[in-house]
Amino acid sequence: MKAFTQINGLVCPIDRANVDTDAIIPKQFLKSIKRSGFGPYLFDEWRYTNYGEPGMDCSTRPINPDFALNQARYQGAQVMLARDNFGCGSSREHAPWAIEDQGFRVIIAPSFADIFFNNCYKNGILPIVADAAVVDRLFKECQANEGYKLNVDLSSQTVTLPSGDSFTFEITPTRKHNLLNGLDEIGLTLQHADEIKAFEVKHKASQPWLFA
Amino acid sequence: MAGKTLYDKLWDSHVVHEESDGTCLIYIDRHLVHEVTSPQAFEGLRMAGRKPWRADTLVANPDHNTPTKDWDKGIEDPISRLQVETLDSNIKETGALVYFPFKHANQGIIHVIGPENGTTLPGMTVVCGDSHTSTHGAFGALAHGIGTSEVEHVMATQTLIAKKSKRMLVKVDGQLGKGVTAKDVALAVIGKIGTAGGTGYAIEFGGEVIRALTMEGRMTICNMAIEAGARAGIIAPDEKTAEYLKGRQYAPKPEQWEQAVAYWNTLKSDADAVFDCVVELKGEEIAPQVTWGTSPEQVLPIGATVPDPAKEVDTTKRTSIENALKYMGLAANTPIEKIKVDKVFIGSCTNSRIEDLRAAASVAKGKKVAGNVVLAMVVPGSGQVKRQAEAEGLDKVFIEAGFEWREPGCSMCLAMNSDRLSAGERCASTSNRNFEGRQGPGGRTHLVSPEMAAAAAIAGHFVDVRSL
């Protein structure tokens, strides 16, 4: 996976609760057999006013000027600010692929859906769960101040606001280590190959029908 | 020391390795694969020069992109066709326990074919790059959706990196009234706890109502666990589970059967097991449910009226209601029974099994689809379900009533093939998600049971199936 250490990134607000992965990347784009190139279709139905198809040149499509991603002040954003239950619904990893391809490396929300949360780490995106009150404050400050940036540091697990105020976030030591170092998780797991084989011997002895 | 929950037992029996922070390697017994979330995983394996650890755990089948009619024309959309052909070539390369290519007699929705072939068994861990993998929890398996990177991880290592979830018990006691189904229980649970209510939890469903359900009904409930935010829903196996599995192709063979059933009988929460959260519902209090908004938690009993955002004090919730009503083209305070439908979809991994089709057919029998309904379609969950339904004459009941009888697949649940809603069209659907654009851009989805969908097709608007 891609490593993540620290960024000082422009913040883009997506001010809706329960944003589902169908909204993040609609199904027609899931027909691709690649894992890159989804960025232009991120939030396709909210971002453009016509129907998007895979392979379409998005530079000429009519846009919804009210949608944050289309506004000049949020261009180049690396931090997405979101509401409760972000990424609910389908398990499609195309959602974090699209978010990452668009240039985001951090998502801050009061809560995330489980599968999406997990998928983020696999793609070098840091999902940060913050207090609803903190997220509210970030939304207000971000909307009031053009060029609003947050400094996100993984090793100290800290987000620092422009005012100098900061808050810390939780991450499991294993995830933190893997993300900081951009480690290949499959390679790491295969270091336990003997344990997996030993488990299989025991498992087969107790439930032989699982090894038809 | 407190006893163990069913989830604890399933988890503990699959831990291969545990880190000091509780991150575990969990052994995976069954890996279901479909065409949409797997090509990048196979590609990743190839690029790293890795082989599947145990190809005999793979059960694969294309379902999302496949058309539901005119099979002789093949898959017309070239991008869809390439994705399906890519699954063909990937499975050809790796091998699999089961592979039903497009147009195979047993092809169907992956979550329907897994159980019906006996490849989903109690005590297993089951994963798939698909959130509705929770369906398989109906058999007392620990089953949940994973992302594509995890699909690759499972193929390469037969394990998943995971941390244990919290444990929730959803207990539904009493009994369901006539015309009230597993789907209504699932929607009522989601209405009660919300779409994030189960986040971080594995939900065990228990109580008299759950025990009384058939395996099909149990699959419907576990299927919808993800719509309550829980990756996994589980129901303890019992005689019905064993009865359902007996004789299926990949179920334990006769010489192993008694040993297997003896083990399955241990798969239940101990009487003194402690859950992190318990939610209770009474079967008698659940009415047929209809979603009115763009999230499965925006659901009400059939007799209710669409909510009024002006009465909501929480601003985020008020905005959600306003957005949903605007998208759905509904005025506040509209009685649900006054909402007319343009299309009806009976199918999906939630409600496309034989029992669902029987229930819908019993409502449609001898009636006609209303004139304002432009399309009412029935999409069986698999080739086996289709043949069974045809053997029982259900196809004729539907066709005579004016429904279209289609080939199996995911179809208009997510509209990746050509079955979809046009902008502004309103659909009574037995699927699982009413998200914006889910059934087609601008399409408006109301989630209901098969009986309620059939009743809406006949009446042309939502109607209380209990009043028919």
Side-chain angles (χ1 to χ4, degrees), chain B residues 346 357-369 376 378 389-405 454 458:
Chain B
I346 296 174
L357 304 191
R358 286 177 189 144
S362 73
V363 173
K365 189 166 185 154
K367 311 248 175 51
K368 291 284 177 204
V369 170
V378 184
E390 288 172 353
E392 296 178 19
L394 305 183
D395 57 327
K396 290 196 179 60
V397 171
F398 286 122
I399 291 165
E400 279 165 18
F403 288 80
E404 291 192 15
W405 177 247
I458 303 303

Side-chain angles (χ1 to χ4, degrees), chain A residues 27 31 93 118 174 189 200, chain B residues 21 27 77 149-150 153 437:
Chain A
K27 83 278 297 188
K31 296 176 186 178
E93 197 164 314
N118 216 22
T174 303
T189 296
E200 283 181 323
Chain B
D21 66 358
Y27 191 80
D77 176 354
S149 295
E150 293 176 315
H153 191 280

Side-chain angles (χ1 to χ4, degrees), chain B residues 170-248:
Chain B
V170 171
K171 197 160 177 274
V172 192
D173 277 323
Q175 73 185 75
L176 297 179
K178 185 174 168 285
V180 182
T181 70
K183 180 65 162 286
D184 301 304
V185 176
L187 287 169
V189 170
I190 296 162
K192 186 171 171 121
I193 70 173
T195 51
T199 302
Y201 289 93
I203 299 180
E204 179 177 343
F205 296 97
E208 292 153 6
V209 164
I210 306 298
R211 295 261 69 87
L213 288 174
T214 59
M215 291 313 295
E216 284 86 351
R218 293 178 189 183
M219 283 188 256
T220 299
I221 293 211
C222 288
N223 172 278
M224 296 284 285
I226 184 64
E227 309 317 331
R231 288 206 296 173
I234 322 170
I235 294 173
D238 58 13
E239 319 79 60
K240 281 184 195 168
T241 318
E243 188 56 37
Y244 177 97
L245 290 168
K246 199 166 192 177
R248 292 187 190 260

Side-chain angles (χ1 to χ4, degrees), chain B residues 242-243 245-247 251-262 264:
Chain B
E243 188 56 37
L245 290 168
K246 199 166 192 177
K253 299 286 171 271
E255 61 273 19
Q256 293 171 332
W257 183 256
E258 279 182 30
Q259 187 194 353
V261 172
W264 298 346

Side-chain angles (χ1 to χ4, degrees), chain B residues 86-423:
Chain B
T86 302
L87 181 61
D88 287 339
S89 61
N90 283 331
I91 295 295
K92 197 170 175 190
E93 190 178 320
T94 59
L97 178 71
V98 176
Y99 184 54
F100 299 141
F102 173 47
K103 295 202 263 194
H104 185 284
N106 289 343
Q107 186 218 327
I109 304 171
I110 195 82
H111 305 308
V112 176
I113 67 162
E116 77 184 2
N117 288 287
T119 61
T120 299
L121 298 172
M124 273 184 166
T125 44
V126 180
V127 294
C128 176
D130 192 296
S131 60
H132 291 113
T133 310
S134 58
T135 309
H136 307 266
F139 290 81
L142 176 56
H144 62 76
I146 55 177
T148 297
S149 295
E150 293 176 315
V151 169
E152 183 180 341
H153 191 280
V154 173
M155 282 196 202
T157 71
Q158 213 56 46
T159 65
L160 193 64
I161 301 170
K163 265 197 96 165
K164 202 168 175 182
S165 303
K166 291 180 285 182
R167 296 145 299 190
M168 181 187 290
L169 175 65
V170 171
K171 197 160 177 274
V172 192
D173 277 323
Q175 73 185 75
L176 297 179
K178 185 174 168 285
V180 182
T181 70
K183 180 65 162 286
D184 301 304
V185 176
L187 287 169
V189 170
I190 296 162
K192 186 171 171 121
I193 70 173
T195 51
T199 302
Y201 289 93
I203 299 180
E204 179 177 343
F205 296 97
E208 292 153 6
V209 164
I210 306 298
R211 295 261 69 87
L213 288 174
T214 59
M215 291 313 295
E216 284 86 351
R218 293 178 189 183
M219 283 188 256
T220 299
I221 293 211
C222 288
N223 172 278
M224 296 284 285
I226 184 64
E227 309 317 331
R231 288 206 296 173
I234 322 170
I235 294 173
D238 58 13
E239 319 79 60
K240 281 184 195 168
T241 318
E243 188 56 37
Y244 177 97
L245 290 168
K246 199 166 192 177
R248 292 187 190 260
Q249 189 175 357
Y250 295 96
K253 299 286 171 271
E255 61 273 19
Q256 293 171 332
W257 183 256
E258 279 182 30
Q259 187 194 353
V261 172
Y263 175 64
W264 298 346
N265 285 338
T266 68
L267 297 174
K268 55 188 169 207
S269 291
D270 295 332
D272 58 344
V274 177
F275 290 86
D276 299 290
C277 173
V278 178
V279 174
E280 294 184 86
L281 284 84
K282 286 205 181 354
E284 292 79 1
E285 292 173 6
I286 300 172
Q289 306 279 306
V290 183
T291 64
W292 55 268
T294 55
S295 165
E297 70 185 20
Q298 292 174 323
V299 65
L300 286 166
I302 177 68
T305 56
V306 170
D308 186 344
K311 292 178 188 154
E312 178 58 60
V313 287
D314 180 296
T315 52
T316 305
K317 280 186 191 156
R318 187 164 63 231
T319 310
S320 293
I321 296 172
E322 284 165 352
N323 286 342
L325 291 182
K326 187 174 171 217
Y327 182 85
M328 295 297 288
L330 290 172
N333 304 309
T334 306
I336 287 177
E337 289 198 90
K338 296 266 187 234
I339 301 172
K340 289 188 171 180
V341 300
D342 305 302
K343 286 184 176 171
V344 174
F345 171 62
I346 296 174
S348 87
C349 57
T350 312
N351 279 131
S352 65
R353 297 177 183 83
I354 188 67
E355 181 183 274
D356 301 314
L357 304 191
R358 286 177 189 144
S362 73
V363 173
K365 189 166 185 154
K367 311 248 175 51
K368 291 284 177 204
V369 170
N372 62 300
V373 175
V374 297
L375 173 68
M377 62 194 291
V378 184
V379 183
S382 71
Q384 289 189 45
V385 170
K386 184 167 188 255
R387 285 193 297 281
Q388 175 70 31
E390 288 172 353
E392 296 178 19
L394 305 183
D395 57 327
K396 290 196 179 60
V397 171
F398 286 122
I399 291 165
E400 279 165 18
F403 288 80
E404 291 192 15
W405 177 247
R406 297 289 189 91
E407 303 292 347
C410 298
S411 182
M412 208 161 70
C413 172
L414 87 167
M416 268 188 84
N417 67 1
S418 60
D419 305 334
R420 61 181 73 156
L421 299 181
S422 302

Side-chain angles (χ1 to χ4, degrees), chain A residues 117-177:
Chain A
F117 189 72
N118 216 22
N119 283 343
C120 282
Y121 288 106
K122 311 289 178 186
N123 294 284
I125 298 170
L126 177 62
I128 295 176
V129 177
D131 261 9
V134 170
V135 172
D136 254 339
R137 176 182 168 187
L138 298 181
F139 265 103
K140 287 196 182 94
E141 291 189 3
C142 168
Q143 278 150 353
N145 300 285
E146 205 164 323
Y148 187 80
K149 288 186 170 185
L150 290 172
N151 193 301
V152 181
D153 182 59
L154 178 54
S155 65
S156 64
Q157 297 175 220
T158 307
V159 177
T160 308
L161 284 59
S163 62
D165 291 352
S166 65
F167 65 91
T168 57
F169 57 89
E170 297 291 320
I171 180 170
T172 64
T174 303
R175 277 181 167 150
K176 181 177 175 177
H177 177 75

